[in-house]
Amino acid sequence: MSGGGDGRHLKPATRLVQGGRRKEWTGPVVNPPVWRASTHLYETDAERQAAGHSNADGQFFYGRRGAPTQWALAEALTAIEPGAHGTVLYPSGVAAIAGIMLAVLKPGDRLLMSDNAYDPTRSMATGLLARLGVTTSFFDPRDPDAFRALLADGGVKAVWLESPGSLTFEMTDVPLLARLAREHGAVSICDNTWASPLGFAALEQGCDIVMMSLSKHVGGHSDLMMGSASAGQRWYTALRSVSQELGQVVSPDDAALAARGLRTMGVRLAAQTAAALKVAGWLEVQPQVAEVFCPMLPSHGGHAIWRRDFTGGCGLFSFVLASDDPAASARVADALALFGIGYSWGGYESLALPITPHTYREAMACPCAGRPALRLSIGLEDPDDLIADLAGALKLV
Ligand SMILES: *Cc1c(COP(=O)(O)O)cnc(C)c1O
């Protein structure tokens, strides 16, 4: 859904509130109603034919192209993504990743992928994409020279970036790698789920396509699955057309929930970032903790990049226990009372997850190197209560 140019002079917090709330979609109420629709009705057959031919954004046609509830969410996401012409919605973050890959790549193409990309993104490259004749090389996202060498081999159609990376949170110099990709005629794609556009303006920093799992911060309440991809005009048009060919559509009920989450995403992210920094800083000095991977901490190897390129953080980080017992991470997770054990993140409630990132690395050494490690998603609880909970659990290490 294309967002047009309105509201771009407003600050991000204001755009979060205003985006997508067109009068013709909301009527006299604040939020766009839930338009449940497969069939759209026309006054005349001539109107039906015109709608079919135009295929324009915001055009009533048939349920698979959405209705105002989905259009309003897409437009609000475009409004907070500097440099975006439009946003396509998908039924999950992984569906967004697949939609992007299929819009950009064809048999015979080469893909370069950051070695710390989200695990299902990696599996898509080595599974689905490999079966379609796309070859993927993984690279260490902290090593621009190795990246340059891979590009120089030729034939690279696209570059997949994710910063900070999943589970181990290494930072990437995205502006540099995106520029190198462009110089070699490759499309750069960024999974920006961690920071959201409030924390990192990926398109403005040089990427061609940016995606998010809306199941995380945007939903924010652990009750929906959705994904999005935003881009400038050329790639937006390609993404939209492939998403229509694939028959991708999101339910209006979920779109309304996601839009509701989006309105408070700024304050939630700010609170979760501050709380995560407090918890991470505390963990860092505990004798049972060997290392904390949180880019907002000054001790983090990628902190300078985070300071330079990012305008915000997130509640998600991980840490390694000072123990060589692989079962120690599960003992800690089981002992926590305020942290749920589960996948996903970015909700209002805190989560703890034992992780084994070394099983998903091939181009770089894993900083956990088989040691027990946990990922925390810090929610909206008081950080002092979370710290007390962690202090009790760490006694079992
Ligand atoms: C969760 C996640 C995804 C996938 O999103 P789903 O909505 O769960 O399909 C993609 N990238 C990152 C970084 C994620 O954390």
Side-chain angles (χ1 to χ4, degrees):
M1 184 72 204
S2 171
D6 2 344
R8 294 300 167 92
H9 60 290
L10 299 168
K11 301 260 193 262
T14 313
R15 281 185 264 129
L16 270 177
V17 168
Q18 296 278 330
R21 289 173 47 211
R22 294 193 196 189
K23 188 82 183 164
E24 70 259 34
W25 295 341
T26 59
V29 299
V30 173
N31 297 300
V34 177
W35 294 63
R36 285 201 191 88
S38 54
T39 299
H40 296 181
L41 295 172
Y42 303 94
E43 290 296 325
T44 63
D45 193 59
E47 199 186 276
R48 176 191 65 83
Q49 292 191 39
H53 288 141
S54 97
N55 189 20
D57 279 325
Q59 167 84 62
F60 282 100
F61 178 64
Y62 175 54
R64 214 169 39 231
R65 288 190 197 163
T69 320
Q70 294 96 325
W71 302 338
L73 171 63
E75 187 167 286
L77 289 166
T78 302
I80 59 164
E81 185 68 65
H85 175 79
T87 298
V88 179
L89 302 174
Y90 300 84
S92 69
V94 167
I97 295 166
I100 294 168
M101 297 293 196
L102 294 173
V104 171
L105 297 163
K106 61 176 189 325
D109 284 342
R110 275 184 79 206
L111 168 68
L112 303 186
M113 183 173 286
S114 186
D115 202 31
N116 55 6
Y118 181 61
D119 177 40
T121 315
R122 297 178 57 105
S123 319
M124 196 181 299
T126 55
L128 174 74
L129 295 179
R131 291 197 298 277
L132 294 177
V134 173
T135 326
T136 301
S137 308
F138 293 97
F139 63 92
D140 180 341
R142 301 159 304 178
D143 186 352
D145 290 334
F147 182 75
R148 261 193 207 93
L150 284 169
L151 281 170
D153 290 343
V156 175
K157 181 64 200 285
V159 167
W160 190 276
L161 306 171
E162 183 184 322
S163 178
S166 278
L167 303 183
T168 44
F169 301 94
E170 296 87 359
M171 295 296 297
T172 306
D173 189 340
V174 173
L176 173 64
L177 299 200
R179 179 168 60 75
L180 293 173
R182 184 158 299 180
E183 283 168 11
H184 286 79
V187 180
S188 53
I189 309 155
C190 182
D191 181 337
N192 199 31
T193 304
W194 188 87
S196 92
L198 300 182
F200 182 63
L203 299 178
E204 252 184 7
Q205 301 266 7
C207 296
D208 296 298
I209 300 173
V210 61
M211 65 78 45
M212 269 196 291
S213 163
L214 307 183
S215 321
K216 314 292 168 54
H217 301 310
V218 173
H221 297 73
S222 308
D223 53 7
L224 73 96
M225 301 292 298
M226 205 179 291
S228 68
S230 305
Q233 183 149 20
R234 173 177 170 221
W235 283 110
Y236 167 66
T237 306
L239 290 167
R240 181 174 183 269
S241 130
V242 169
S243 128
Q244 290 184 358
E245 286 170 326
L246 290 169
Q248 297 285 37
V249 63
V250 305
S251 94
D253 300 81
D254 287 347
L257 270 184
R260 184 186 174 103
L262 184 69
R263 305 303 176 192
T264 59
M265 181 171 79
V267 288
R268 284 187 284 106
L269 268 179
Q272 290 171 336
T273 300
L277 197 50
K278 188 166 185 184
V279 175
W282 176 84
L283 278 171
E284 198 171 34
V285 295
Q286 301 312 304
Q288 303 93 337
V289 174
E291 220 178 327
V292 179
F293 307 125
C294 173
M296 292 105 71
L297 283 178
S299 59
H300 187 269
H303 184 68
I305 293 180
W306 182 77
R307 285 211 85 88
R308 184 193 68 187
D309 296 342
F310 283 55
T311 50
C314 151
L316 191 75
F317 66 92
S318 62
F319 65 100
V320 182
L321 294 169
S323 159
D324 45 22
D325 177 5
S329 50
R331 270 203 305 279
V332 169
D334 288 347
L336 290 166
L338 297 177
F339 292 77
I341 302 173
Y343 290 109
S344 198
W345 49 273
Y348 63 86
E349 82 298 357
S350 290
L351 295 173
L353 184 73
I355 53 169
T356 52
H358 54 283
T359 50
Y360 318 117
R361 298 284 180 271
E362 63 172 72
M364 62 206 252
C366 179
C368 306
R371 294 181 290 171
L374 290 115
R375 186 184 73 177
L376 298 182
S377 175
I378 301 298
L380 294 172
E381 304 89 344
D382 190 305
D384 291 338
D385 288 335
L386 299 178
I387 287 172
D389 197 20
L390 284 161
L394 285 181
K395 294 205 177 90
L396 304 176
V397 171

